Amino acid sequence: MPVGLIALALGGFGIGLTEFVIAGLLPDVAADFGVSEASAGWFISGYALAVVVGALGLTAAVTRLERKPVLAGLLVLFIAGNLLSATAADYWPMMLGRVIAALSHGAFFGIGAVVAAGMVPPSKKAGAIALMFTGLTAANVLGVPFGTLLGQAAGWRATFWAITVIGVVALAGILALVPRQAGAAEAGGSLRSELGAFRSGQVWLSIVVTVLGFGGMFGAFTYIAYTLTEVSGFAASTVPWLLIVFGVGLFAGNTLGGKAADRNVDRTLLVVLAVLAVVLVAFALVAANPVLTVVSLVLMGGFGFATVPGLQMRVMKYAPGAPTLASGANIGAFNVGNALGAWLGGVTITAGFGYTSPIWAGAVITLAGVAVMAFAASAAKRSETRIGTPAETPDGATAEAAGAVRV
């Protein structure tokens, strides 16, 4: 694999760390600024909503520009946002820093996926995209636990200073290692052709499944530090180590989910989402038991992130002629799900339902995702049966003929 993919993965690592590490530090940040749990939760929801704006707005704005300079510019935005968060004196400057950093998120992953695919032969495109997203997985396996540990030991601001440094290193790596021509074949595409992908009903269904499927897991994860300390009885100092356990589940789920999705995307998503809903219900029921909580963390992380490769592959399958904006939109959809889950979790806590209530809310959201996925899969199968060939993409070419993921 080209060494430039490592630079892309490092950028993904930093961005993933920015998004997720706040969950482990939420009690510390809330105490420092003197705000409630639900108000602090908006550092997560606000970030997620800003990702959506960046994923759609920034990606659309740079559709015709060269990919490498765009990626570099996005990392500059990312660095500026985290620098502001690290130095924020009170709640609103911190929120502004989160929003600025988030604007780069969706566009970076959406454009980065196209660049990664453009760096390798067609037969290795899926592997290249997976390698780039390994940075996001590594952020959860290693970055979030150790970022939380650093924040608890040296203050939560130290974590954001560390993320800023990671952003600078990733920027240098992209400038030095990513070929300028990577993804150039798509760079001439017009915004109109990119928007054409959204004429497909399956693209929209895929995006809705992403919102609901990932939102369910993230709803439970947002307030996990409170669940672990207030319900399961763990000391705050153990939270970083428990997040490592959660991260191991993420890594395994991302890897195995990708392999399963290569064989059959729709079947994989249906099974994984259904099992995730069961896991969340079980977690809510056993959260007072420390041993079963650890098991639940692994399973929640595993089945939660097992959806990610399939969700991204599915939207790209039905938009092969316009991958950039569709890819970015789906990254935005992940974060709409994040915001939805975090918001509903905050509502249930504020209503007095306790610190397991976000897990119950996540289970309900996930079940809605299962229903939509079942409808989408059924519609795709009917279309395939009607035409007698693999389900057609919006421009009339089959997914395989267009070079999309094998299903």
Side-chain angles (χ1 to χ4, degrees), residues 247-262:
V248 169
L250 297 185
F251 183 82
N254 185 61
T255 302
L256 297 176
K259 291 181 178 179
D262 264 334

Side-chain angles (χ1 to χ4, degrees), residues 243-291:
L243 291 178
I244 292 178
V245 173
F246 177 75
V248 169
L250 297 185
F251 183 82
N254 185 61
T255 302
L256 297 176
K259 291 181 178 179
D262 264 334
R263 292 191 291 272
N264 190 301
V265 171
D266 286 2
R267 183 168 61 235
T268 296
L269 288 174
L270 276 170
V271 171
V272 170
L273 286 170
V275 176
L276 176 60
V278 172
V279 168
L280 290 172
V281 170
F283 188 7
L285 293 172
V286 305
N289 184 305
V291 174

